[in-house]
């Protein structure tokens, strides 16, 4: 890209087809992207999108070891006569650390707002907090966090205010092949105090065998304890096989009085490919859980996939599968995630992310923000059929072609969710994009 005053970016204007219930202004979509040169000490990035029902802003500014990030989003439903506004502001600082000794290792602060308004009620949520990271010694580190939330709701003559406070911390030990941590947290709300403490430890018993344990104590739920044994079995594949090619493990999890036993295996049969699988069994309920995963690199793309199947007597089996694809090297870019779950006749799925292909004068891109579900009966032995699929969200496919050095013509197809006034529909758009 060429640059203007050291910055690069793009401005895109698109005109979409509109339905009879929409106005002329509803057809326009304007987007601005701006980014400073990566070589600058002080850097910034801005992404602004404006349409009649939806406006969003994302910004970041970095100066030395200080970073400020801002996000804002406003969405209006003219049919329901409702509006949602959300935003957050984050500041982080990474100080220069001395070679050793007590030191502040990080600091961050945030504020978040979420508000919604409809003809029947209005709600607002304010949240703010601080986080400190501390290095105590070469082997010991910790953190301390605190936040507060103010929730307000008004519906007719009814109004309510609620305040909650949360404090949490961590103390971490790491030396050689031994690690340990403790993570307490406290929540103060509705005149009550709730607490939770997690403890983790891991130690290498031999060069190939490691033992780890986890315990979680809570004021609102039974204690959970897990013991895990992991063995690197790569040498079983032959002399000289590097570590990490094959590992097996077993774990026991106890949430009194129920316990679950799990066995697993993981292997890397070829470069850039890892496969794993596990089986878990809970004797008291005869529940079985099978899971498998795969991850790897194919050209410029990173891919991962997970699947699981859970079965138990008198309960419908639950099956899920998910996959993700990401790439940062031309000609492909972006990341996208897909998932599907089914239990009995109830099904759900999602698709989210941005992914594209850019080569020469052609740029193809898709942006997904879809959730789908079909409700049914979760119990076995029923004759109820799955309900009709409902798809919420948007999906946009855009093709751009460079007709001049800095100007592209674009064509778009957008899917939009149903509202109470109209059915799901496709909108078609055309526009121009100027790159600088």
């Amino acid at each position: 890209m060429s640059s203007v005053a050291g910055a690069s970016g793009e401005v895109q204007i698109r005109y979409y087809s509109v339905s009879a219930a929409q106005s002329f202004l509803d057809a326009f979509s304007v987007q601005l992207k701006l980014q400073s040169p990566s070589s600058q000490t002080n850097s910034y990035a801005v992404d602004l999108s404006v349409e009649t029902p939806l406006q969003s802003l994302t910004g970041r500014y970095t100066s030395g070891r200080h970073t400020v990030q801002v996000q804002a989003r406003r969405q209006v439903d003219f049919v329901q006569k409702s509006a949602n506004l959300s935003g957050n502001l984050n500041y982080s600082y990474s100080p220069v650390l001395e070679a050793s000794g007590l030191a502040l290792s990080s600091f961050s602060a945030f504020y978040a707002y979420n508000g919604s308004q409809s003809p029947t009620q209005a709600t607002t949520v304010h949240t703010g907090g601080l986080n400190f990271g501390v290095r105590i010694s070469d082997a010991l580190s910790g953190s301390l966090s605190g936040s507060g939330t103010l929730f307000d709701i008004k519906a007719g003559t009814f109004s309510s205010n609620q305040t909650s406070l949360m404090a949490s911390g961590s103390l971490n030990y790491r030396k050689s092949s031994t690690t340990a941590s403790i993570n307490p947290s406290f929540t103060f709300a509705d005149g009550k105090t709730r607490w939770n403490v997690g403890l983790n430890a891991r130690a290498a018993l031999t060069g190939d065998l490691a033992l780890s344990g986890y315990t979680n104590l809570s004021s609102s739920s039974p204690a959970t304890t897990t013991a895990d044994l992991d063995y690197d079995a790569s040498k079983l594949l032959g002399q000289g096989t590097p570590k990490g090619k094959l590992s097996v493990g077993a774990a026991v999890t106890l949430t009194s009085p129920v316990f679950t036993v799990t066995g697993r295996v993981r292997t890397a049969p070829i470069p850039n490919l890892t496969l794993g699988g596990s089986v878990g069994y809970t004797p008291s309920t005869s529940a079985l859980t099978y899971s498998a995963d795969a991850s790897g690199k194919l050209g410029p793309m990173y891919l991962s996939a997970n699947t699981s199947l859970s079965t138990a007597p008198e309960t419908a089996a639950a099956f899920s599968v998910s996959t993700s694809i990401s790439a940062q090297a031309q000609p492909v870019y972006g990341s996208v995630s897909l998932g599907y779950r089914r239990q009995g006749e109830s099904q759900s799925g999602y698709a989210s992310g941005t992914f594209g292909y850019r080569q020469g004068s052609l740029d193809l891109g898709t942006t997904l923000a879809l959730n789908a579900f079909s409700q049914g009966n979760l119990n076995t032995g029923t004759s109820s059929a799955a309900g009709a699929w409902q798809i919420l969200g948007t999906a946009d496919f855009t093709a751009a072609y460079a007709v001049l050095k800095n100007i592209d013509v674009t064509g778009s197809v957008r899917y939009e969710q149903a509202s109470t006034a109209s059915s799901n529909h496709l909108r078609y758009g055309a526009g121009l994009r100027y790159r600088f």
Side-chain angles (χ1 to χ4, degrees), residues 54-58 70-76 83-89 111-117 123-126:
L54 176 64
Q55 303 89 44
S56 65
L57 169 68
T58 301
V70 61
Q71 289 182 319
R73 176 184 174 93
R74 178 179 180 268
Q75 187 168 13
V76 179
N84 292 277
L85 177 64
S86 62
N88 59 72
L89 177 65
Y111 167 76
Y113 172 85
N114 196 305
S116 64
Q117 189 168 6
T123 61
T124 57
V125 182
H126 301 267

Side-chain angles (χ1 to χ4, degrees), residues 328-399:
Q328 299 299 331
Q330 298 293 346
V332 290
Y333 62 90
S335 63
V336 64
S337 299
L338 308 171
Y340 169 80
R341 187 179 189 279
R342 176 165 185 160
Q343 184 173 15
E345 297 299 336
S346 292
Q347 305 175 78
S348 62
Y350 68 89
S352 63
T354 298
F355 203 78
Y357 172 87
R358 184 183 294 120
Q359 184 70 40
S361 300
L362 182 65
D363 187 354
L364 305 175
T366 182
T367 299
L368 303 171
L370 295 172
N371 287 285
F373 61 91
S374 172
Q375 294 295 335
N377 200 307
L378 297 181
N379 298 319
T380 58
T382 63
S383 59
S384 62
W389 277 96
Q390 297 187 50
I391 303 177
L392 307 178
T394 61
D396 189 289
F397 174 78
T398 297

Side-chain angles (χ1 to χ4, degrees), residues 233 245-250 263-267 275-279 291-293:
K245 285 291 185 178
L246 176 66
S247 66
V248 294
R264 65 181 183 276
V265 61
R266 181 164 299 279
T267 182
L275 303 174
S278 67
V279 178
S291 64
D293 63 86

Side-chain angles (χ1 to χ4, degrees), residues 101-107 131-145 168-174 180-184:
L102 181 65
L104 178 70
S105 58
S106 65
F107 170 75
N131 177 270
F132 300 86
V134 179
R135 184 190 66 189
I136 302 172
S137 67
D138 293 342
L140 208 56
S141 64
S143 66
L144 182 63
S145 301
S168 62
S170 68
L171 186 62
N172 311 294
Y173 172 82
R174 177 185 293 272
S181 66
I182 179 170
N183 305 275

Side-chain angles (χ1 to χ4, degrees), residues 148-169:
T149 298
L150 175 62
F151 176 81
D152 178 74
I153 182 171
K154 295 180 180 178
T157 58
F158 170 81
S159 65
S160 174
N161 294 289
Q162 297 180 7
T163 301
S164 64
L165 299 173
M166 190 183 80
S168 62

